[in-house]
Amino acid sequence: MTLKNIPDEVYERLKASAQAHRRSLNSEAIVCLESVLLPERMAVAERLARARALRAGLPKATFHVNEIDAHKREGRA
């Protein structure tokens, strides 16, 4: 399959994603298509990798139990 007229932004994001996941452009395109067209078939390892990547992007913070409880109760009245 050959894709033509891919917008530059889409190509660059696909390329960056492929590099981040250590895949070829072709493999990354397949993974992207599968995730959209067959979302229930995502491998457990891929789900874990995505969750870990999202977690790694969050700022490092520690919360005290009292703070967590206060935030959970916030707005409940």
Side-chain angles (χ1 to χ4, degrees):
M1 176 169 76
T2 302
L3 297 175
K4 297 179 181 179
N5 302 318
I6 298 173
D8 291 340
E9 183 180 353
V10 172
Y11 175 78
E12 291 302 323
R13 290 185 73 179
L14 182 65
K15 184 177 173 182
S17 184
Q19 289 174 344
H21 295 113
R22 296 181 179 175
R23 296 186 184 117
S24 67
L25 280 173
N26 186 73
S27 293
E28 190 67 21
I30 290 170
V31 169
C32 290
L33 288 170
E34 285 177 338
S35 70
V36 170
L37 300 174
L38 304 170
E40 66 279 356
R41 296 183 72 189
M42 184 184 298
V44 172
E46 181 66 21
R47 287 188 192 275
L48 286 172
R50 288 183 181 196
R52 288 180 178 132
L54 287 171
R55 185 183 306 145
L58 295 173
K60 301 293 181 200
T62 56
F63 298 96
H64 191 272
V65 173
N66 293 338
E67 291 178 87
I68 295 170
D69 286 340
H71 285 293
K72 289 192 317 192
R73 289 184 180 89
E74 192 173 294
R76 295 184 193 175

